[in-house]
Amino acid sequence: MTANVMVVVERQYDYPRPEVFRAWTAPEEMAQWRGSPGWHVETETVTSDLKLGGRHHHVKVRDNDPTTRVTTDAVFTEYFEPDVFVARQRITGDPGIDPDAPLELRVEFTKTGRNGTLVRIVQGPYDPTVAGYHSKGWELELDRLETYLAGHRNREVPR
């Protein structure tokens, strides 16, 4: 089949845009939450040159089988902190993604209310047979982001 499906996922957070944007882009923060349940990002593999034309790299590893690894290499084609970033990605190790066909990842951060942020992810193109699986993966990762942000806020608030 032809890869022609874009996955679109949105989630509302009760945290300010700069905080949510930083969680997505700062390597030390991203490594804390990225990956669906049962996966983790190897902290030492995360690199990001946070600018237009900058490169990004990370490796996700299956918790119960460390030999199962998915590598993402990307270049930022847009980078406007804290509003949006777009990256052209090559993903290897995921059987549902052709490593020779680049994907585009667009993540938008829209201010809502006083201190809220709407995150909108658009990624693809995917083969229609795997698009739903990757959409669900993003939903699960965004759950982990919520947990990370809640814990991060609790550490920063003086008691």
Side-chain angles (χ1 to χ4, degrees):
M1 290 198 135
T2 302
N4 62 1
V5 174
M6 299 301 284
V7 167
V8 179
V9 179
E10 293 182 338
R11 182 74 57 92
Q12 173 70 40
Y13 295 98
D14 292 327
Y15 304 97
R17 272 186 325 155
E19 189 176 331
V20 180
F21 191 90
R22 188 174 55 250
W24 269 90
T25 56
E28 65 278 6
E29 292 198 38
M30 193 199 96
Q32 299 299 308
W33 67 270
R34 284 295 312 270
S36 297
W39 291 80
H40 68 277
V41 170
E42 283 186 331
T43 305
E44 64 276 8
T45 69
V46 183
T47 58
S48 270
D49 186 11
L50 302 175
K51 65 181 183 183
L52 179 65
R55 297 196 173 275
H56 170 82
H57 174 85
H58 72 269
V59 178
K60 291 181 190 172
V61 179
R62 187 182 297 274
D63 294 342
N64 65 0
D65 178 9
T67 64
T68 302
R69 304 165 65 80
V70 175
T71 301
T72 299
D73 287 294
V75 174
F76 291 110
T77 58
E78 292 181 42
Y79 191 87
F80 300 100
E81 185 175 346
D83 299 309
V84 63
F85 69 83
V86 180
R88 189 150 179 89
Q89 302 176 305
R90 287 218 182 262
I91 299 175
T92 56
D94 185 322
I97 297 176
D98 179 353
D100 295 322
L103 296 176
E104 180 175 273
L105 171 66
R106 177 180 189 85
V107 185
E108 301 169 355
F109 304 82
T110 304
K111 181 176 174 27
T112 59
R114 186 169 296 202
N115 269 324
T117 304
L118 174 68
V119 173
R120 183 172 195 256
I121 300 165
V122 181
Q123 187 182 39
Y126 285 104
D127 184 294
T129 61
V130 299
Y133 169 79
H134 288 281
S135 180
K136 180 65 174 169
W138 277 118
E139 292 285 349
L140 294 170
E141 285 198 46
L142 292 177
D143 290 345
R144 289 181 81 171
L145 175 57
E146 174 66 41
T147 301
Y148 171 77
L149 290 168
H152 188 67
R153 173 168 282 174
N154 291 339
R155 284 192 301 276
E156 290 185 348
V157 174
R159 298 196 182 252

